Amino acid sequence: MSTKGKVIISVLSTCVVLALAGYIFFKFCFVYSEGVNEGDINYFQREGFVFKTYEGKMIQTGLKNTKVQGTIQSNEFKFSVVDERVAKQLNDGTNTGVKLHWKRYLGTLPWRGNSQFIVDSVYTAK
C-alpha cells in the first residue's frame, strides 16, 4: 500500500472515531434540559439485576383546560436517582408536596437508571 493510501485510511479512521465519540457524548453525557417538577411521590424503589438503581414516579395534579370546567388531570413523572444522599432524602422524608430538580439526558445508561430524567436535588414544597 502506498503512503498516500495509508494517510487516507488514517484520516478516515480518525474521522470515524471522532464522530463516534461525539455521538456518544451528546447521547449519554450532554444535559439536554433541566428543570423542577412538583407533586406527590407515588413510589420510590431500588431495582435492577446487575446495576441497582433508584427509580421513582411522581404524580403531578392540576386543572385540565377542557370543555368541562374543573376537570382534574394527573401527569406522571418517571425519574431515576444516582446520588445516595438524594435517595436517602426521598426515602426518609415526606412524599407529598415535593419539588424535584432534574437533568434530562438524551439516552439512558444501565448504571444511571432507566429514565432520561435524573433527579439531583429535593426540595419540600410549601
Side-chain angles (χ1 to χ4, degrees):
M1 183 178 281
S2 68
T3 306
K4 189 174 184 177
K6 289 180 183 179
V7 169
I8 291 173
I9 289 176
S10 65
V11 168
L12 287 176
S13 299
T14 303
C15 289
V16 168
V17 167
L18 288 175
L20 184 62
Y23 172 78
I24 290 171
F25 172 77
F26 282 109
K27 182 78 173 173
F28 301 111
C29 300
F30 178 72
V31 176
Y32 175 71
S33 64
E34 60 183 300
V36 176
N37 285 9
E38 182 178 348
D40 300 334
I41 303 295
N42 188 14
Y43 72 82
F44 185 70
Q45 62 191 11
R46 190 165 187 230
E47 62 183 34
F49 291 110
V50 177
F51 297 104
K52 297 288 187 184
T53 59
Y54 293 98
E55 306 295 327
K57 183 168 59 171
M58 173 187 279
I59 303 297
Q60 301 170 288
T61 58
L63 294 177
K64 189 174 185 181
N65 189 10
T66 62
K67 293 179 183 178
V68 180
Q69 291 189 356
T71 304
I72 300 292
Q73 72 175 359
S74 178
N75 296 317
E76 293 181 350
F77 173 65
K78 295 181 181 179
F79 61 91
S80 300
V81 175
V82 177
D83 190 0
E84 291 284 336
R85 178 187 55 82
V86 174
K88 189 173 184 337
Q89 277 184 297
L90 287 171
N91 276 330
D92 294 344
T94 179
N95 290 335
T96 58
V98 176
K99 285 185 182 178
L100 301 178
H101 182 268
W102 50 265
K103 292 180 180 178
R104 181 180 178 195
Y105 297 91
L106 297 175
T108 61
L109 294 170
W111 53 88
R112 194 165 60 192
N114 296 331
S115 173
Q116 293 179 343
F117 297 93
I118 308 299
V119 171
D120 59 0
S121 57
V122 178
Y123 309 103
T124 303
K126 295 183 180 181

